[in-house]
């Protein structure tokens, strides 16, 4: 009897699911797909002992069960009906008598084996599928090419041209109905294998060379393993005929053109239905193209219920429901949105960063500019300072001069009690503990008591909660009321302050005055420099002698 094993590069034998052993009928081997030659060595050996016979029979039963399970999963896969229809057309194209004429084209110095032209495909589709328009046949052929059933011999762009461009059929082992989901590790092995005999990488396209460089950085710790896999595959490929090797290499390249397409092309394998299929079958293993054992991306073990575990009680189920509801209510923000907010904040405050922008006015201790002292003596805000007030209410309240201007504006609108209450609570938080009870009572009588002189407007819930906190007499008794007043100023008073005539006039006046100051300062600098130049010139002219009067 003949048994079938797969001998990996490490020398260990394991069964191959692409072949099936049949114990009956003399132990013949039936190949369900085309023979793969990537990373493994297929060997048939004679098993004369009874022990090997039992192993083969047990392997036969296991492979049959695995094959039945795989067949059921494949039938439920999305797009499988589409794949079957396309493969039916491709099988008819490959018919020996009624299919497309496949031939070997001889040139002056080389041969191109097993090829046909794009015009042959268009002609066959129109003849055998009753298509009247060449454009319709070209569109159908382009769909077949985009899914990788046939491909151009000398191009990475998977499309059909109605001309004499040479095409070649893909082996059924690489058809999309096999539901390949190749990893980047497999792609790294493929690219590395193509560069073994070509150190200059001229055989790789530009995007493939960039992908190889990126993968080399990603798998820096595993690169020796990837090179070993590529070298072992290259040694196996060299044992085959040159023409056969040329065909298989082009088929492998076309497979990666489908799963790692040219930039700007549509990836026909990346669809949402496949993602939903993976969700329905979370324990389905990914298939490696070269038989490489991939590490699991998720280190946590899959959730499986204990075999003899007790049934959870109603209280445990209720607690789990409450926990999951809280997880659903968690605020999540996309990384892109966070990055956008961070970039906007950096651009907004770039003019106020001394490491990025020269401060204005300049530091008088480092330069001879006296604009800083003149501005400080007038006790007026600068134009950048006024512009910063418009960033947010926090920036306005953080600046003492901004608080003063905002308070004058609120007094003109008869609503200054809100800001006064907010400032009083802020002052309360920084006072010593011995002064806190008296200040709490004073703030309550002035702003919240029924006969308060500067009563503020609070909703009933906030007022009741604040009145309850007053009994403890802590420095944080008015936090709820302060937050309510802050939001009221932010949504109402602050927006009107930015639109007010007083702020706009202050902003424009500061801009004009600083412009005049810059002009005056520049003239003073020019005069000072001219004077110093004259002094130096006269000193050099007369040397050590004193200049004439």
């Amino acid at each position: 009897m003949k048994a079938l094993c797969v001998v990996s590069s490490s020398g260990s034998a394991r069964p191959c699911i692409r072949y099936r052993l049949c114990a009956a009928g003399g132990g013949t081997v039936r190949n369900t797909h085309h023979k793969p030659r990537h990373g493994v060595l297929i060997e048939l050996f004679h098993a004369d002992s009874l022990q090997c016979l039992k192993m083969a029979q047990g392997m036969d039963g296991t492979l049959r069960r695995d094959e039945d399970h795989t067949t059921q999963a494949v039938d439920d896969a999305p797009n499988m009906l589409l794949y079957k229809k396309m493969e039916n057309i491709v099988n008819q194209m490959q018919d020996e008598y009624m299919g497309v004429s496949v031939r070997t084209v001889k040139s002056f110095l080389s041969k191109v084996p097993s090829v046909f032209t794009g015009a042959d495909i268009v002609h066959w589709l129109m003849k055998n599928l009753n298509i009247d328009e060449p454009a319709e046949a070209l569109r159908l052929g382009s769909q077949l090419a985009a899914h990788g059933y046939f491909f151009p011999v000398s191009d990475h762009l998977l499309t059909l041209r109605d001309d004499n461009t040479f095409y070649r059929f893909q082996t059924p082992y690489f058809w999309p109905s096999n539901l390949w989901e190749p990893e980047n590790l497999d792609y790294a092995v493929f690219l590395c294998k193509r560069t073994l005999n070509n150190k200059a990488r001229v055989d790789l396209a530009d995007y493939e060379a960039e992908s190889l460089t990126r993968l080399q950085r990603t798998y820096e710790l595993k690169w020796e393993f990837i090179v070993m896999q590529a070298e072992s595959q290259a040694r196996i490929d060299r044992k085959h005929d040159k023409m056969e090797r040329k065909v298989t290499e082009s088929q492998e390249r076309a497979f990666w053109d489908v799963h790692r397409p040219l930039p700007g092309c549509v990836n026909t394998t990346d669809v949402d239905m496949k993602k939903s299929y993976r969700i329905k079958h979370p324990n389905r293993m990914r298939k490696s193209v070269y038989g490489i054992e991939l590490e699991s991306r998720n280190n946590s073990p899959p959730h499986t219920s204990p075999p003899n575990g007790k049934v959870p009680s109603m209280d445990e189920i209720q607690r789990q429901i409450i926990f999951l509801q809280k997880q659903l209510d968690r605020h999540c923000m996309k990384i892109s949105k966070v990055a956008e907010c961070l970039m906007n904040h950096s651009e907004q405050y770039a003019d106020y960063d001394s490491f990025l922008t020269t401060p204005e006015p300049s530091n008088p201790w480092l330069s001879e500019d006296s604009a800083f002292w003149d501005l400080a003596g007038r006790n007026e805000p600068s134009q950048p300072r006024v512009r910063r007030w418009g960033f947010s209410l926090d920036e306005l309240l953080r600046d003492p001069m901004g608080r003063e201007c905002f308070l004058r504006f609120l007094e003109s609108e008869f609503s200054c009690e809100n800001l006064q209450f907010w400032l009083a609570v802020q002052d309360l938080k920084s006072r010593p503990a011995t002064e806190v009870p008296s200040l709490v009572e004073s703030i309550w009588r002035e702003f919240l008591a029924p006969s308060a002189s500067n009563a503020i407007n609070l909703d009933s819930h906030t007022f009741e909660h604040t009145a309850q906190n007053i009994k403890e007499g802590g420095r944080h008794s008015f936090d709820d009321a302060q937050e309510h007043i802050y939001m009221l100023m932010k949504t109402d008073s602050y927006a009107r302050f930015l639109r007010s005539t007083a702020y706009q006039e202050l902003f424009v006046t500061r801009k004009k005055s600083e412009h005049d100051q810059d002009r005056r300062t520049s003239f003073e600098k020019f005069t000072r420099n001219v004077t110093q130049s004259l002094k130096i010139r006269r000193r050099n002219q007369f040397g050590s002698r004193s200049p004439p009067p």
Side-chain angles (χ1 to χ4, degrees):
M1 178 183 175
K2 292 183 179 180
L4 181 64
C5 287
V6 175
V7 181
S8 64
S9 58
S10 61
S12 59
R14 57 183 177 85
C16 178
I17 63 172
R18 291 186 290 273
Y19 288 78
R20 186 169 65 183
L21 293 172
C22 299
T28 58
V29 180
R30 183 166 63 89
N31 187 352
T32 58
H33 292 282
H34 284 236
K35 182 178 179 181
R37 298 187 296 99
H38 305 283
V40 293
L41 179 62
I42 309 300
E43 292 184 356
L44 292 175
F45 63 93
H46 292 275
D48 298 329
S49 64
L50 181 61
Q51 182 178 2
C52 292
L53 178 60
K54 291 181 178 179
M55 182 186 68
Q57 291 177 349
M59 188 189 303
D60 181 30
T62 303
L63 292 177
R64 286 181 183 275
R65 290 193 297 270
D66 293 341
E67 191 178 61
D68 294 339
H69 177 73
T70 304
T71 304
Q72 182 179 1
V74 165
D75 292 338
D76 296 336
N79 287 345
M80 188 52 63
L81 181 60
L82 175 64
Y83 293 153
K84 294 300 181 183
K85 289 184 177 180
M86 289 192 293
E87 289 170 8
N88 185 24
I89 297 176
V90 174
N91 288 327
Q92 295 180 24
M93 288 182 180
Q94 294 178 324
D95 186 76
E96 185 177 358
Y97 302 102
M98 302 297 295
V100 179
S101 176
V102 179
R103 57 193 180 274
T104 298
V105 179
K106 297 181 180 180
S107 62
F108 180 68
L109 295 176
S110 62
K111 296 181 180 180
V112 184
S114 304
V115 294
F116 51 89
T117 63
D120 295 338
I121 289 288
V122 174
H123 177 72
W124 188 92
L125 291 174
M126 294 180 64
K127 178 181 178 181
N128 293 271
L129 299 183
N130 297 325
I131 298 176
D132 298 330
E133 297 293 335
E136 183 66 20
L138 190 64
R139 187 193 65 83
L140 178 58
S142 297
Q143 289 292 330
L144 295 173
H147 285 81
Y149 289 104
F150 55 83
F151 56 91
V153 175
S154 59
D155 194 0
H156 291 273
L157 186 61
L158 298 179
T159 185
L160 180 63
R161 301 185 183 93
D162 189 6
D163 53 16
N164 293 325
T165 304
F166 290 138
Y167 290 84
R168 182 175 290 140
F169 283 114
Q170 180 63 280
T171 175
Y173 177 70
F174 286 137
W175 281 0
S177 59
N178 292 325
L179 302 180
W180 292 109
E181 294 183 9
E183 296 285 344
N184 289 331
L185 193 64
D186 296 323
Y187 192 41
V189 173
F190 165 71
L191 295 177
C192 185
K193 184 175 65 174
R194 290 181 57 185
T195 58
L196 289 178
N197 298 326
N198 192 350
K199 302 300 182 181
R201 299 182 182 179
V202 294
D203 189 39
L204 296 180
D206 292 339
Y207 77 97
E208 290 179 324
E210 294 176 1
S211 299
L212 179 61
T213 305
R214 184 174 62 253
L215 291 171
Q216 191 169 2
R217 290 196 302 264
T218 303
Y219 295 108
E220 182 178 359
L221 301 178
K222 299 181 180 179
W223 196 250
E224 294 183 1
F225 168 73
I226 293 174
V227 173
M228 290 174 56
Q229 290 288 331
E231 290 176 349
S232 64
Q233 294 178 24
R235 284 194 300 269
I236 296 173
D237 290 341
R238 293 192 195 101
K239 297 179 182 179
H240 296 274
D241 182 68
K242 181 179 179 181
M243 304 301 291
E244 181 184 358
R245 186 168 65 249
K246 185 181 296 187
V247 172
T248 54
E249 287 178 355
S250 66
Q251 291 173 342
E252 186 179 10
R253 188 212 68 193
F255 169 80
W256 287 111
D257 287 340
V258 174
H259 292 272
R260 299 293 187 274
L262 191 72
C265 298
V266 179
N267 188 349
T268 57
T269 63
D270 188 13
V271 294
D272 293 337
M273 287 189 294
K274 284 193 174 183
K275 296 178 182 178
S276 63
Y277 172 67
R278 287 196 292 268
I279 294 176
K280 291 181 181 179
H281 302 271
N283 295 325
R284 188 169 66 89
M285 298 297 293
R286 290 178 178 267
K287 296 196 296 182
S288 174
V289 183
Y290 304 122
I292 302 174
E293 306 224 349
L294 304 173
E295 296 180 359
S296 177
R297 292 185 176 181
N298 189 5
N299 294 327
S300 59
H303 175 72
T304 55
S305 58
N308 297 326
K310 63 178 182 179
V311 179
S313 61
M314 292 299 297
D315 294 337
E316 294 176 351
I317 295 176
Q318 188 67 25
R319 285 196 298 269
Q320 187 177 7
I321 292 175
I322 295 174
F323 171 76
L324 294 177
Q325 288 177 347
K326 290 181 179 179
Q327 296 298 316
L328 290 175
D329 294 336
R330 290 178 59 187
H331 177 68
C332 298
M333 184 177 292
K334 293 183 177 180
I335 296 297
S336 58
K337 185 65 176 178
V338 175
E340 182 181 358
C341 295
L342 181 60
M343 292 175 61
N344 293 336
H345 181 273
S346 302
E347 293 174 358
Q348 188 179 39
Y349 285 89
D351 295 337
Y352 300 91
D353 193 338
S354 301
F355 290 99
L356 301 178
T357 308
T358 304
E360 295 181 1
S362 60
N363 189 345
W365 300 105
L366 301 178
S367 63
E368 297 181 359
D369 189 5
S370 61
F372 180 83
W373 304 118
D374 297 338
L375 192 62
R378 292 198 302 267
N379 196 20
E380 294 180 357
S382 61
Q383 191 264 344
R385 190 174 181 180
V386 175
R387 185 174 69 248
R388 190 166 181 170
W389 295 349
F391 290 172
S392 64
L393 180 59
D394 291 331
E395 293 289 348
L396 178 63
L397 298 179
R398 193 179 295 117
D399 191 341
M401 197 171 294
R403 290 198 301 267
E404 183 180 354
C405 295
F406 190 43
L407 182 60
R408 288 199 300 266
F409 170 75
L410 294 179
E411 287 176 353
S412 64
E413 294 196 344
F414 306 99
S415 59
C416 61
E417 64 276 359
N418 291 333
L419 181 58
Q420 291 175 353
F421 171 76
W422 189 88
L423 294 174
V425 176
Q426 284 293 107
D427 182 64
L428 172 65
K429 295 178 180 179
S430 60
R431 289 303 183 92
T434 56
E435 302 178 7
V436 169
S438 59
L439 288 176
V440 168
E441 185 66 24
S442 174
I443 294 174
W444 172 263
R445 289 196 306 266
E446 183 179 359
F447 297 101
L448 294 173
S451 59
S453 58
N454 293 326
I456 59 176
N457 187 15
L458 295 178
D459 59 89
S460 58
H461 177 72
T462 305
F463 182 83
E464 292 175 0
H465 196 267
T466 303
Q468 192 70 22
N469 294 337
I470 287 297
K471 299 177 182 180
E472 300 177 1
R475 64 177 72 249
H476 298 285
S477 302
F478 300 100
D479 284 356
D480 293 338
Q482 186 188 29
E483 183 179 359
H484 178 80
I485 293 300
Y486 176 84
M487 296 303 299
L488 186 62
M489 291 190 299
K490 182 178 180 180
T491 56
D492 184 30
S493 303
Y494 176 66
R496 287 187 282 109
F497 170 72
L498 297 181
R499 295 193 302 266
S500 65
T501 307
Y503 177 75
Q504 298 295 333
E505 291 179 353
L506 182 64
F507 186 80
V508 175
T509 303
R510 290 297 92 215
K511 191 172 183 179
K512 288 183 178 180
S513 63
E514 291 197 359
H515 179 67
D516 297 339
Q517 180 68 23
D518 292 340
R519 293 178 57 187
R520 185 183 63 184
T521 304
S522 301
F523 180 74
E524 291 176 355
K525 288 182 178 179
F526 174 76
T527 306
R528 190 183 303 111
N529 293 334
V530 171
T531 304
Q532 290 179 356
S533 300
L534 290 175
K535 289 181 179 180
I536 294 173
R537 185 179 302 175
R538 294 177 65 183
R539 188 181 301 112
N540 294 334
Q541 181 179 0
F542 293 97
S544 60
R545 296 177 300 170
S546 59

